[in-house]
Amino acid sequence: MSQTDFTRLAQYPGSGCEKYDRRAEIFGREDVIPLWVADMDFPAPDFVTQALAARLADGAFGYAKPTAEHLSAITGWLAGQHDWHVGPETIVPVPGVVPAMAMAIRAFTTPGARVIIQPPVYFPFFQVVRDQGRELVENPLVEQASADGGRRYVMDFAALEAQAREAEMLLLCNPHNPGGRAWDARELEQVVAICARHGVMVMSDEIHMDLTYPGIRHTPFARVADAAGCRWFTVTAPGKTFNTAGIGGGYAVIPDAAIRERFDRERRGMHLGEGSVFGLTALKAAYTHGTHWPDELMAHIAVNRDRVIEAVSDLPIEPMWPEATYLLWLDCRGMGLSDAAADPEDRALQRFFIDEAGLGLSQGIIFGEAGRGYMRINLATPTRVMDRAMAQLRQAAVRVFSQ
Ligand SMILES: Cc1ncc(COP(=O)(O)O)c(C=O)c1O
């Protein structure tokens, strides 16, 4: 049963959506095909839109609070999708994953404390640490050749061990945006061992947990961290999976009662409420009726992934093979174009994509210095849009590189 239309563009210019309506500001022109912000072009699945429509018809928009049904939708989802079994008391509602990160840093680290992140990584990881007045410690991922001849990111455990001695917290991105890694249990066990040894608290951001490609499983950090002496908790949300990011709402999973109480105190102190009417409605509908949705979605995304990989196969662009997320990380260093974030005049790589190819991608360097020379493309669009984007890219490459 098809639950959505993967050919329909649900977002469009003038609808107040960031992806289309910030093109002039971000790219300097409004005619680029926007393949940047991490949301999807097609509509949310119909079981979500129908639940929202029913709630809208109710007209009941007062203060919201998760009920036992919401909590059991969450615990049921984690158990059914990820074989991760937690009780409803472990769930703490949060307005979003990034706000939860800010709360966690405030709750569990001291002013000026060192907080580790693993770039290239989703750029708010940098900002949220600095905004709380903590010291950012970068533990860059390392590129490794994989058995199939491709490349993938791995963690630098030796550096992590050294950095953990002086740090209070690690912000883990699992699965990883933009690298597309679904960290495996052996890798996560090493993170746990290092962080347990040095008393580093781990916050695992698992917002991309449902978005693994066919044949690949997400490993919740909980699976390896429980009973290993590591202080940790996870934050996630249904927004990426079901394309409801603009509605907002997520949740933390915190099995340890003392950690939960401390986090919740911070959350309550911010007076942000326990969710929005529409966020909770979308979450319950998604987690109750969406069991088959991630597979259906990722089958569509896999088609687009393969189209892009094929289109760039004879260009000096190396895609990093993704295990998860609808984002594809393109190593464009072989194009020999400069990529200097600080100097707007010296962004030849980004200018090539904007001016020559007519594409609005995310510039790799915003994910940290390790992203210099890379571009991130969002695959969650109708295949005809992806094909048009790739045709434009290839024409531009021929024009520019055969001169
Ligand atoms: C790794 C990661 N964490 C968090 C977010 C955003 O989460 P939220 O909108 O719930 O703050 C994103 C969005 O792209 C993301 O990729």
Side-chain angles (χ1 to χ4, degrees):
M1 182 185 61
S2 178
Q3 296 161 322
T4 202
D5 184 356
F6 291 120
T7 65
R8 182 157 81 81
L9 280 171
Q11 306 210 77
Y12 51 89
S15 61
C17 68
E18 198 176 351
K19 187 184 272 170
Y20 285 80
D21 289 341
R22 283 188 71 199
R23 282 183 293 184
E25 178 194 336
I26 301 288
F27 304 106
R29 47 197 290 178
E30 291 187 355
D31 58 352
V32 290
I33 301 180
L35 301 166
W36 60 300
V37 176
D39 58 23
M40 307 197 229
D41 275 340
F42 23 78
D46 56 10
F47 46 82
V48 171
T49 55
Q50 282 160 12
L52 289 169
R55 182 72 203 212
L56 195 60
D58 266 355
F61 309 136
Y63 292 113
K65 180 169 178 57
T67 63
E69 276 185 12
H70 292 103
L71 298 180
S72 82
I74 293 173
T75 55
W77 182 262
L78 297 177
Q81 298 288 315
H82 302 293
D83 195 19
W84 179 11
H85 303 270
V86 289
E89 74 288 352
T90 65
I91 309 297
V92 181
V94 295
V97 172
V98 177
M101 235 177 247
M103 294 173 201
I105 292 168
R106 296 166 75 92
F108 300 112
T109 68
T110 49
R114 295 186 184 178
V115 177
I116 306 173
I117 64 167
Q118 297 178 303
V121 71
Y122 181 54
F123 49 91
F125 277 48
F126 293 81
Q127 204 56 46
V128 80
V129 173
R130 294 192 180 117
D131 285 347
Q132 311 314 312
R134 274 39 171 191
E135 189 183 330
L136 193 65
V137 176
E138 297 192 31
N139 173 239
L141 300 175
V142 178
E143 279 181 49
Q144 190 189 63
S146 52
D148 57 9
R151 284 173 306 157
R152 62 179 204 157
Y153 279 123
V154 294
M155 294 187 200
D156 182 345
F157 292 113
L160 185 61
E161 178 91 52
Q163 292 165 329
R165 290 196 180 97
E166 308 281 332
E168 293 185 13
M169 189 168 218
L170 166 69
L171 300 178
L172 180 73
C173 192
N174 175 40
H176 187 263
N177 168 16
R181 280 300 316 281
W183 302 115
D184 65 35
R186 287 218 327 242
E187 293 169 304
L188 295 178
E189 276 162 11
Q190 295 197 61
V191 173
V192 169
I194 291 169
C195 291
R197 254 196 303 283
H198 301 292
V200 172
M201 169 112 188
V202 181
M203 179 185 141
S204 184
D205 169 349
E206 304 194 8
I207 198 167
H208 296 279
M209 66 186 182
D210 305 315
L211 303 173
T212 48
Y213 282 95
I216 294 169
R217 295 293 305 264
H218 166 67
T219 308
F221 190 69
R223 177 143 326 128
V224 297
D226 262 351
C230 173
R231 294 172 70 238
W232 69 279
F233 69 98
T234 291
V235 182
T236 187
K240 293 281 165 221
T241 313
F242 295 96
N243 204 18
T244 55
I247 295 177
Y251 55 92
V253 185
I254 318 184
D256 182 285
I259 296 176
R260 187 166 66 242
E261 171 47 32
R262 179 66 194 91
F263 179 82
D264 205 27
R265 192 155 20 106
E266 191 68 36
R267 187 188 68 88
R268 287 195 308 268
M270 294 196 163
H271 302 273
L272 292 165
E274 298 205 6
S276 78
V277 168
F278 291 115
L280 290 171
T281 302
L283 178 146
K284 192 167 90 179
Y287 281 178
T288 308
H289 305 295
T291 339
H292 302 294
W293 164 257
D295 286 349
E296 200 176 322
L297 170 68
M298 290 312 287
H300 171 81
I301 301 294
V303 170
N304 286 356
R305 172 199 61 190
D306 295 347
R307 294 288 239 272
V308 175
I309 290 176
E310 170 64 26
V312 302
S313 59
D314 58 353
L315 302 181
I317 296 177
E318 295 279 339
M320 204 170 263
W321 183 255
E323 295 167 323
T325 80
Y326 50 69
L327 308 162
L328 187 64
W329 190 230
L330 304 173
D331 180 354
C332 302
R333 290 174 298 179
M335 295 173 84
L337 300 173
S338 66
D339 183 20
D343 179 359
E345 296 304 313
D346 189 15
R347 288 182 183 164
L349 179 61
Q350 205 199 15
R351 295 257 58 100
F352 167 82
F353 278 92
I354 298 170
D355 298 332
E356 303 295 338
L359 302 180
L361 272 51
S362 302
Q363 207 184 354
I365 202 153
I366 65 172
F367 301 87
E369 183 56 35
R372 184 188 293 276
Y374 289 74
M375 299 294 285
R376 190 191 75 175
I377 188 167
N378 183 337
L379 302 170
T381 195
T383 300
R384 68 172 189 287
V385 175
M386 196 48 78
D387 285 346
R388 186 153 48 87
M390 290 303 105
Q392 291 182 196
L393 175 61
R394 292 187 59 78
Q395 281 159 12
V398 168
R399 212 168 40 243
V400 171
F401 291 105
S402 60
Q403 278 168 7

